[in-house]
Amino acid sequence: LIHFIKRMNKMLLIEILAALLLSCGLVSSDQILRDACGQDRVKLGDWFVAHGSPDLILEPVPQYVGSVDEDPYADPENPPDDPNTRGFCAMQWSEETNEAGLRKYWLKNFPNETAAQHEDYFITHKGHCGACSYIQDLGVYIRQNLTSATRECGILGSLSHNLMRNCLLDLGFSLPCVTIWEWNILNTKAECFAVCVWSYITNEPFNKPDGSLNDCLQCDEDKSGPNFKFFAGRTRRNSGITSSIYRPPDTIYNMEHCYWYGDL
């Protein structure tokens, strides 16, 4: 209970500070959103990228955390059944550090938020942990809008797999997260090529006038989305992060990422 009260007080102070900064014109609404815990999202994202690499993960590592070495789309039985569809992936910093002085951390699956808080873990996204659950990948998602950037990486994939991989790595993604992005891009290319080429040539808006996805994004959602969501673990929506693609508010998990240490 004490932990919960302290957390609520912190959230209230953050929201008051954000409102004051916005009203004074010191920051824009794009810079302060709740998911960024009232911080400049680029600065916070950069911190997570620099302090959350896969080599800082401690054992035991959850089942689906790591590289996706085999094409999940090749097996029609995928994605596997999720035994806990209402679960959460959470993290906890360790006092152990690497040679550079960066703290190591654990990732762990929990059945609910209360169980994670009871063990002093921070929720990092809704759903089970996966290939993109590293704190490094959270930083990539939180600091920039990735919709156009990842599409450009997919276009490079038509020329060379190495170009696509290097493009995704240059965005800051961890290598394990890159592997599921690669499989996703390749599957979308195979399943949605014609409709997506037309969408790109015509510079079609991401959403139709009624708010639904354009045909390319809907094809990707239907054909590639289920496996990507399962094996990646983290997505923007289940991490409380919005993008340039409109999504109904009830599909975005309402959360904040306030678990950095030291100075940003």
Side-chain angles (χ1 to χ4, degrees), residues 158-210:
S158 300
L159 304 174
S160 163
H161 188 96
N162 283 337
L163 285 175
M164 174 176 64
R165 170 165 287 197
N166 289 335
C167 179
L168 292 166
L169 289 172
D170 287 344
L171 291 176
F173 284 121
S174 69
L175 182 57
C177 187
V178 164
T179 61
I180 186 57
W181 268 103
E182 289 174 323
W183 293 125
N184 177 84
I185 289 171
L186 293 173
N187 189 70
T188 298
K189 178 184 175 183
E191 297 283 353
C192 311
F193 181 77
V195 67
C196 286
V197 164
W198 179 250
S199 177
Y200 187 77
I201 290 174
T202 60
N203 196 28
E204 183 181 24
F206 296 136
N207 294 94
K208 295 180 178 181
D210 64 358

Side-chain angles (χ1 to χ4, degrees), residues 102-231:
L102 300 178
R103 292 171 67 176
K104 298 185 179 183
Y105 64 99
W106 291 277
L107 288 175
K108 186 175 180 179
N109 291 311
F110 287 92
N112 53 59
E113 294 171 293
T114 302
Q117 292 168 0
H118 181 72
E119 294 189 29
D120 293 325
Y121 272 71
F122 295 97
I123 300 295
T124 190
H125 65 78
K126 192 174 183 180
H128 65 262
C129 303
C132 295
S133 296
Y134 301 103
I135 302 307
Q136 175 178 339
D137 299 308
L138 167 64
V140 176
Y141 281 134
I142 210 168
R143 73 183 179 183
Q144 61 199 308
N145 195 307
L146 289 165
T147 305
S148 296
T150 51
R151 183 170 65 175
E152 291 171 3
C153 293
I155 293 170
L156 289 175
S158 300
L159 304 174
S160 163
H161 188 96
N162 283 337
L163 285 175
M164 174 176 64
R165 170 165 287 197
N166 289 335
C167 179
L168 292 166
L169 289 172
D170 287 344
L171 291 176
F173 284 121
S174 69
L175 182 57
C177 187
V178 164
T179 61
I180 186 57
W181 268 103
E182 289 174 323
W183 293 125
N184 177 84
I185 289 171
L186 293 173
N187 189 70
T188 298
K189 178 184 175 183
E191 297 283 353
C192 311
F193 181 77
V195 67
C196 286
V197 164
W198 179 250
S199 177
Y200 187 77
I201 290 174
T202 60
N203 196 28
E204 183 181 24
F206 296 136
N207 294 94
K208 295 180 178 181
D210 64 358
S212 61
L213 299 175
N214 68 34
D215 292 342
C216 172
L217 291 175
Q218 189 61 59
C219 182
D220 173 73
E221 183 87 1
D222 295 338
K223 301 295 185 179
S224 298
N227 274 324
F228 180 82
K229 293 172 187 175
F230 184 91
F231 288 98

Side-chain angles (χ1 to χ4, degrees), residues 33 41 141 144-148 206-207 213 217 236-237 240-247 252:
L33 291 173
R41 60 193 314 104
Y141 281 134
Q144 61 199 308
N145 195 307
L146 289 165
T147 305
S148 296
F206 296 136
N207 294 94
L213 299 175
L217 291 175
R236 283 169 288 193
R237 278 179 284 171
I241 301 168
T242 59
S243 73
S244 56
I245 303 172
Y246 169 76
R247 304 284 189 173
I252 302 173

Side-chain angles (χ1 to χ4, degrees), residues 1-6:
L1 179 60
I2 293 174
H3 176 81
F4 177 77
I5 292 172
K6 288 181 178 178

